[in-house]
Amino acid sequence: MKIATWLCGTRKYLLFVLLVIPISAGASQSAPQPASIAVPGGKIEATLPDEQLAVSSKDLLDWIKAASDAVSLYYGKFPVRHLTLRVRSDSSSGVHGGVTYPRGGGLILITVGKNATVADLKDDWVLTHEMIHLAFPSMEDNRHWIEEGISTYVEPVARVRAGQMPAEEMWRQFIVDMPKGQPQPGDRGLDNTHTWGNTYWGGAIFCLMADIQIRERTHNRKGLQHALRGVLSGGGDITEDWEIEKALKMGDKATGTTVLQDLYKQMRDQHPPVDLDQLWQKLGLEFKSGHITFNEKAPEAAIRKAITATKTATDR
């Protein structure tokens, strides 16, 4: 979540509240010195909780490093040169309450429950989601769907590429959750319908369609990753306030297409339903009894594999 946008507390986004968190939250006069973590192109200064947790400080630092590795691999570098990360604790378990600010080049607040386990940290998606917010410029209030949509879509893709999540699980989540972003009666497009489903999963549908269409038009040489890298390399990180048209035009320039701008024109004021079942079939995805199988003979099986490939010939 970026500040002034929706807060999501579980992978299924069951918690849906608006929360304003003071910038100084979690800080105290006796706060410990932050640990410095080197990342490609920058560093993270991480302040860990004073309280005793079920996991060790090393476990927490390994968790932070894993999230930063996934994001850096996807974008070719860490999105910002300096990130301040404040890890807080509460009496719960698991990881939750992530929020990202542009302050100081990038600030993330996140909570790890005192009863969280190492398995919880390894399965966590929240920190990766928040770090991805660093890699896109800040939008106007009615365009938060593009920020949340990118983080919702790219997070599992980046984790699969980094070897932190099976591709089968990513596609299973997409098949189960993408329908939550389909338009509902009375909806008026991505720019004008600020529901939870439209903001997160409507934005994710936009990103999935963009990824596929870019690959179709470039013969699978480029995808959404290249567009987002183009935006970031052009200076479009969280500290910048941009119009959405500028970001999409820059992303399209990086892929040599007009996919992002065309999709935005189609979906900003009206969001036509997407035939997801047909899309999954084209990609070679079969979902039965809660399990995913791949059909390698499907028309766009190569695109499906390229989306989650660890490295492609066009990666720089």
Side-chain angles (χ1 to χ4, degrees):
M1 181 194 100
K2 289 179 70 172
I3 189 61
T5 68
W6 302 117
L7 174 66
C8 43
T10 70
R11 186 66 184 92
K12 299 303 181 184
Y13 304 99
L14 295 177
L15 182 60
F16 182 36
V17 296
L18 188 64
L19 183 63
V20 177
I21 304 175
I23 294 293
S24 61
S28 67
Q29 293 183 354
S30 59
Q33 291 297 313
S36 182
I37 303 170
V39 293
K43 69 176 181 178
I44 299 172
E45 289 190 357
T47 302
L48 305 183
D50 289 330
E51 300 87 352
Q52 182 68 40
L53 307 184
V55 294
S56 67
S57 295
K58 181 180 181 303
D59 294 331
L60 292 173
L61 294 176
D62 288 345
W63 161 64
I64 295 168
K65 186 66 165 59
S68 67
D69 285 347
V71 174
S72 298
L73 178 64
Y74 188 87
Y75 284 96
K77 63 177 182 177
F78 196 69
V80 294
R81 296 185 64 181
H82 179 270
L83 169 66
T84 300
L85 174 62
R86 296 178 185 167
V87 183
R88 302 166 298 175
S89 66
D90 63 14
S91 59
S92 68
S93 59
V95 181
H96 57 93
V99 62
T100 304
Y101 302 85
R103 182 189 178 193
L107 168 65
I108 294 176
L109 307 180
I110 195 166
T111 300
V112 176
K114 291 182 180 179
N115 300 312
T117 64
V118 172
D120 290 329
L121 297 181
K122 289 184 176 180
D123 193 46
D124 171 56
W125 59 271
V126 180
L127 184 56
T128 306
H129 178 105
E130 296 303 327
M131 287 182 176
I132 291 167
H133 277 311
L134 300 168
F136 198 76
S138 296
M139 298 281 111
E140 296 175 288
D141 287 348
N142 65 329
R143 273 68 181 265
H144 286 317
W145 63 265
I146 187 66
E147 300 168 331
E148 295 298 347
I150 289 171
S151 279
T152 300
Y153 177 75
V154 171
E155 168 261 311
V157 173
R159 289 173 62 207
V160 172
R161 282 174 168 253
Q164 299 173 10
M165 179 183 189
E168 292 85 349
E169 175 59 17
M170 183 199 87
W171 289 115
R172 187 195 69 79
Q173 290 182 6
F174 281 173
I175 289 173
V176 171
D177 290 333
M178 284 282 181
K180 299 171 185 176
Q182 292 279 34
Q184 302 300 310
D187 283 3
R188 296 181 295 113
L190 292 173
D191 276 359
N192 307 300
T193 307
H194 309 305
T195 60
W196 163 83
N198 200 65
T199 300
Y200 287 93
W201 289 106
I205 288 176
F206 176 94
C207 292
L208 173 63
M209 293 176 64
D211 209 348
I212 292 170
Q213 290 183 22
I214 292 169
R215 293 184 181 280
E216 288 173 342
R217 296 192 194 181
T218 64
H219 304 286
N220 214 12
R221 291 192 299 269
K222 293 185 177 181
L224 181 64
Q225 176 192 34
H226 300 86
L228 295 177
R229 284 187 177 192
V231 174
L232 182 61
S233 65
D237 64 31
I238 191 174
T239 65
E240 297 292 320
D241 294 318
W242 284 13
E243 297 289 337
I244 191 171
E245 291 84 359
K246 177 180 178 179
L248 300 183
K249 183 177 181 179
M250 188 170 291
D252 278 339
K253 182 179 179 180
T255 64
T257 73
T258 58
V259 167
L260 296 178
Q261 295 172 90
D262 293 344
L263 273 176
Y264 178 58
K265 290 175 184 177
Q266 294 168 22
M267 301 175 72
R268 64 186 178 187
D269 296 317
Q270 58 179 352
H271 179 184
V274 177
D275 190 340
L276 290 172
D277 289 339
Q278 182 184 56
L279 186 149
W280 307 137
Q281 187 176 11
K282 285 174 57 178
L283 292 174
L285 294 165
E286 298 178 1
F287 185 55
K288 295 181 180 179
S289 302
H291 298 285
I292 290 288
T293 55
F294 295 142
N295 175 10
E296 303 302 346
K297 296 182 179 180
E300 296 193 340
I303 286 179
R304 184 201 72 234
K305 290 190 286 188
I307 287 173
T308 56
T310 302
K311 189 174 183 179
T312 67
T314 55
D315 283 344
R316 295 180 179 83

